[in-house]
Amino acid sequence: MLGYIIPRTQTRPTATIDYAGQIDSKAFDKVPHQRLLTKLKFYGIQNNLLQWITSFLGGRSQRVILDGSNSGKAPVQSDIPQGSVLGPLLFLLFINDLLNYVSPESTTRMFADDCALYCPIHTDQDARALQQDLDGLQRWDWLMEFHSQKCQIHHITNKRKPIRQPHNIHGHIFKRSRYSKIFRPQLPKITQQEPSH
């Protein structure tokens, strides 16, 4: 769980924090083995370790059975086996350069196939900069797309009139959300106190 924590000594946030983003829901299935291996070599993984990962990814096949008829077997050339300890790490290594497409003003958090992008919004320009970062994420081209229907915008603010501009990926305008997967504040329980006499 990630979040934005306001220290107890700080009064109130002076900006709206907006965040959005989620990579395609079938992201693990779309990672091409050869592109992943190319990135691993770039990161310095080689020799026995690279051969071991190649073996981990390869040697699998799939077929379709429909109404009792079988297709021929086809080798699996793109996916990261899910349910393994190594799978999420390989996926993160595959999408690691995604951060190169985001400005330093925005914060990006990634875990497995979830990606959150957030930044303080003080001005209309800040809101436009967030959209530019979202546009940058769309330019990242390793055969992955953001699942635009699952993307949402979440405003965290105490302002009466926060700056709210529409944000989108692939032309899909994000829906506003009161709750998010990333920011889950635990608010203290407020109890009604008896008036003192």
Side-chain angles (χ1 to χ4, degrees):
M1 183 184 305
L2 305 169
Y4 178 78
I5 299 170
I6 302 168
R8 201 176 185 123
T9 56
Q10 186 177 336
T11 54
R12 290 188 263 175
T14 58
T16 301
I17 307 287
D18 284 0
Y19 99 92
Q22 181 165 340
I23 293 177
D24 194 313
S25 59
K26 300 287 185 188
F28 277 70
D29 298 334
K30 294 183 177 180
V31 175
H33 294 167
Q34 288 307 313
R35 287 184 177 209
L36 172 61
L37 295 171
T38 298
K39 283 190 172 191
L40 294 177
K41 289 176 193 173
F42 175 78
Y43 293 137
I45 296 172
Q46 54 189 341
N47 302 328
N48 290 340
L49 181 56
L50 186 63
Q51 289 174 1
W52 181 77
I53 292 171
T54 302
S55 177
F56 173 76
L57 294 171
R60 291 177 291 125
S61 62
Q62 61 187 7
R63 65 181 177 163
V64 176
I65 300 173
L66 180 65
D67 293 331
S69 298
N70 296 331
S71 69
K73 288 185 178 181
V76 174
Q77 297 178 349
S78 65
D79 87 330
I80 293 178
Q82 296 181 46
S84 65
V85 174
L86 187 57
L89 175 63
L90 290 175
F91 185 79
L92 285 176
L93 288 170
F94 184 73
I95 65 170
N96 189 51
D97 61 338
L98 187 76
L99 301 177
N100 297 338
Y101 293 81
V102 177
S103 69
E105 287 75 30
S106 290
T107 301
T108 307
R109 299 284 186 236
M110 297 187 294
F111 179 75
D113 64 346
D114 284 332
C115 177
L117 176 68
Y118 56 97
C119 68
I121 306 293
H122 298 282
T123 65
D124 288 336
Q125 178 57 37
D126 294 336
R128 285 190 294 275
L130 177 60
Q131 182 59 53
Q132 289 171 351
D133 285 341
L134 291 167
D135 295 342
L137 293 179
Q138 293 176 82
R139 286 190 298 275
W140 180 80
D141 183 20
W142 283 88
L143 300 179
M144 296 265 167
E145 288 185 0
F146 279 81
H147 195 283
S148 58
Q149 285 74 27
K150 288 190 176 183
C151 292
Q152 59 186 354
I153 191 76
H154 185 77
H155 304 287
I156 301 173
T157 187
N158 66 345
K159 290 185 174 185
R160 289 184 183 177
K161 293 183 180 181
I163 297 167
R164 292 190 176 162
Q165 292 186 2
H167 293 90
N168 74 84
I169 284 187
H170 305 300
H172 177 81
I173 304 286
F174 296 166
K175 293 179 184 174
R176 287 189 193 152
S177 173
R178 282 188 64 184
Y179 305 101
S180 71
K181 292 170 71 173
I182 303 298
F183 298 105
R184 292 183 181 161
Q186 294 192 1
L187 302 175
K189 186 176 180 181
I190 299 173
T191 57
Q192 186 72 26
Q193 295 184 357
E194 294 290 323
S196 57
H197 296 116

